[in-house]
Amino acid sequence: MRRHLVLAAALSGVLLVSACGSDTGTRRTVTAVVTVSSGAEVPSGSAEASGAPAAAGSREATGSAAPARESPAASASPSVSAAPVVTGVDPLKVDCGAIISAADVKKALNIDIPNDRLKVAVAEVNTDAGQTGSVRCLYGLSDDKKSGQVTLRLTAYTDAAAAQKQVGVTVQNETDNGGQVSQTTVNGYPATVALRDGGLIVMDYDNWTLAIAAPASVDAATLTSGLPQLAGSALTRIIKA
């Protein structure tokens, strides 16, 4: 199954494939802004801690109305040592081209994708889950420019507790759908990798979530090790932007 972080079924958050798509709660409409760009890559060797169709987007940290049951895997977050969280960051304003590049994807996942991307503002968010806005970044675009080989989703929430809760919902849904879930860290912060028809990494940071979905063409070992690296590059650049 090819992924899309139009994240349409479940990361309908990071997320970033069909786990949390039952957005039955109250929604609000957000004007969609689409940006297509190509050309210069962001440097992959900067001092930071260190492909999927549009359907991958359904496996982000979404606004699913599913009950927020915490899975055993989600509750067993590893002990981490991380820098203090930087508050006041608005990840939705960051250009997709400044977050990750084709070179980052090659380094982390060992796949070659075109160096183009598409930024799409999600038109509907789940206000019942505390969502206030969400964007998708599609990388390595298809010919019709409607999907990407790698999908990243950023979702903002009313507060940090709401963001963390929705990550728990996503992890539980991945577990319920047969995903192989494991705990990891991204720049020292807790994150979860789920392997199911490709790979998904999802995490919360302050009052927002980051999710990245990658295609099933990448082997499980590379997804498990590479997705945290790719998310680390993205997180560092978003905070610095």
Side-chain angles (χ1 to χ4, degrees):
M1 178 167 86
R2 300 182 66 204
R3 295 172 173 269
H4 189 262
L5 253 255
V6 165
L7 293 172
L11 218 63
S12 120
V14 214
L15 94 260
L16 73 43
V17 213
S18 59
C20 298
S22 58
D23 290 348
T24 58
T26 303
R27 302 167 180 264
R28 73 180 179 89
T29 299
V30 179
T31 301
V33 178
V34 179
T35 303
V36 180
S37 57
S38 62
E41 302 174 347
V42 286
S44 60
S46 55
E48 42 196 52
S50 23
S58 61
R59 293 179 60 192
E60 313 155 346
T62 66
S64 170
R69 296 184 294 130
E70 184 178 18
S71 67
S75 62
S77 298
S79 298
V80 297
S81 177
V85 171
V86 178
T87 60
V89 174
D90 186 353
L92 308 188
K93 293 182 178 180
V94 182
D95 183 77
C96 292
I99 299 176
I100 59 175
S101 69
D104 296 318
V105 173
K106 175 65 175 180
K107 181 178 179 181
L109 303 178
N110 197 30
I111 57 173
D112 295 301
I113 65 171
N115 190 42
D116 53 9
R117 51 258 174 195
L118 174 70
K119 183 176 184 179
V120 182
V122 178
E124 293 183 332
V125 293
N126 187 348
T127 55
D128 280 354
Q131 292 184 350
T132 60
S134 185
V135 298
R136 295 187 187 92
C137 294
L138 308 179
Y139 297 92
L141 300 179
S142 60
D143 291 340
D144 63 7
K145 309 298 183 184
K146 293 182 179 180
S147 64
Q149 295 182 53
V150 171
T151 306
L152 177 148
R153 183 161 176 169
L154 300 165
T155 304
Y157 292 81
T158 53
D159 54 42
Q164 184 178 48
K165 182 177 180 180
Q166 284 308 122
V167 169
V169 171
T170 299
V171 171
Q172 185 62 57
N173 283 339
E174 286 298 310
T175 302
D176 292 346
N177 282 279
Q180 298 178 30
V181 173
S182 60
Q183 298 304 298
T184 186
T185 59
V186 171
N187 298 359
Y189 304 100
T192 300
V193 171
L195 303 181
R196 180 171 65 85
D197 297 316
L200 169 74
I201 188 166
V202 60
M203 65 178 295
D204 59 277
Y205 184 92
D206 192 26
N207 66 332
W208 50 278
T209 59
L210 164 68
I212 301 176
S217 59
V218 183
D219 65 89
T222 300
L223 287 170
T224 300
S225 62
L227 281 172
Q229 177 183 339
L230 194 59
S233 297
L235 180 63
T236 297
R237 291 171 182 154
I238 292 168
I239 294 172
K240 289 181 177 180

